[in-house]
Amino acid sequence: MSAETDVRIERDSLGEVRVPAGALYQAQTQRAVDNFPISGLTMPRAFIAAVGLVKWAAAGANEDLGLLPAEVADAIRRAADGVIAGEHDAHFPIDVFQTGSGTSSNMNTNEVIANRALEIIGHSRGEYEAVHPNNHVNKSQSTNDAYPTAIRLAVLLSYSELTDALADLAYELKQKSVEFSDVIKMGRTQLQDAVPMTLGQEFDGFRVTVKEDIQRINVVVQLFREINLGATAIGTGITAKPEYSSLAIEELSRIAKFELVQAENLMEATSDMGAFVMFSSVLKRIA
């Protein structure tokens, strides 16, 4: 395949962009790839699944409110199913270090789902009058509510991998505490030998620390169940119907199989990073 045939031309308000011919994404994603080649690390699987779930729920809520035709909403959900299942991970090329609010990843998702939805209903990629990334897939949303909701959900979807691994570690430390129960060593204080102890006692102390870390994770992670979906840009819900937030969160809870709740104050929740700071603190303690 020649250099001229392995790309297609996409257009946005800034002009033309050369995009790989087989890509499900379009201009905004390609601009992010071009502008932020920073780490080579792309968004993790849990996040891609989570943002697919957000778009699935949004389509359902918008259909219920009469804001999306049933055919379009169904196509969006079916396309989102593929994103959730990991079928289109190769089409999420954006670096984890990107625009500050995650706009690039949000639009990447909108573009992938829009083009896949077009194929589902018998259109060609790029026929955005039928399914538009922003007007349809991103309807009633902003990056500022869809993206942090997806990050919170990604933590909920994946944190058990860490707690399971820590539980395995705690078990092995317990085995070693028994195995080393008769190994005498010197306990140290102030960087000097002090009084005797067993190596088993030392390893049992490690076990307790790890168990406490698991307990702390299980408590702090519950903060991520409070989401701001429906807040749109700054928390006022502008461009979304008043009923949209509760409908979208109910739908998201059902398909994600987590009991998610609407934040008490959407404006506060849109700016507050407290849950992330607390969860980061637990991870630092573990490290």
Side-chain angles (χ1 to χ4, degrees), residues 40-194:
L41 300 172
T42 54
M43 301 304 287
R45 169 93 280 275
F47 171 81
I48 296 172
V51 75
L53 286 164
V54 170
K55 300 301 175 180
W56 201 107
N62 283 316
E63 181 185 8
D64 289 345
L65 292 170
L67 301 176
L68 283 180
E71 182 188 31
V72 172
D74 182 63
I76 290 172
R77 285 192 295 266
R78 290 172 61 190
D81 282 335
V83 171
I84 295 163
E87 296 172 6
H88 310 304
D89 285 2
H91 299 274
F92 287 82
I94 294 176
D95 201 282
V96 295
F97 298 103
Q98 52 181 278
T99 58
S101 63
T103 301
S104 297
S105 278
N106 186 43
M107 283 307 300
N108 184 183
T109 308
N110 293 331
E111 291 175 350
V112 168
I113 290 177
N115 276 312
R116 182 68 193 109
L118 286 167
E119 294 176 336
I120 288 170
I121 60 177
H123 287 268
S124 298
R125 296 178 187 179
E127 295 183 354
Y128 302 126
E129 65 279 357
V131 181
H132 192 279
N134 206 37
N135 297 341
H136 296 128
V137 182
N138 200 55
K139 194 168 192 64
S140 305
Q141 302 154 68
S142 163
T143 292
N144 294 344
D145 66 339
Y147 186 76
T149 293
I151 294 177
R152 286 174 163 84
L153 182 54
V155 174
L156 290 169
L157 291 172
S158 60
Y159 82 95
S160 62
E161 295 177 24
L162 174 58
T163 54
D164 288 348
L166 289 173
D168 289 344
L169 176 59
Y171 174 81
E172 294 300 332
L173 290 170
K174 180 61 177 178
Q175 303 313 301
K176 290 299 180 185
S177 73
V178 174
E179 180 183 343
F180 299 149
S181 61
D182 57 354
V183 178
I184 305 299
K185 61 167 286 185
M186 292 302 295
R188 292 170 64 84
T189 64
Q190 305 300 332
L191 303 180
Q192 298 184 57
D193 288 348

Side-chain angles (χ1 to χ4, degrees), residues 6-8 18-25 30 125:
D6 61 3
V7 298
R8 71 176 191 268
R18 295 165 66 87
V19 176
L24 283 169
Y25 55 81
Q30 188 60 50
R125 296 178 187 179

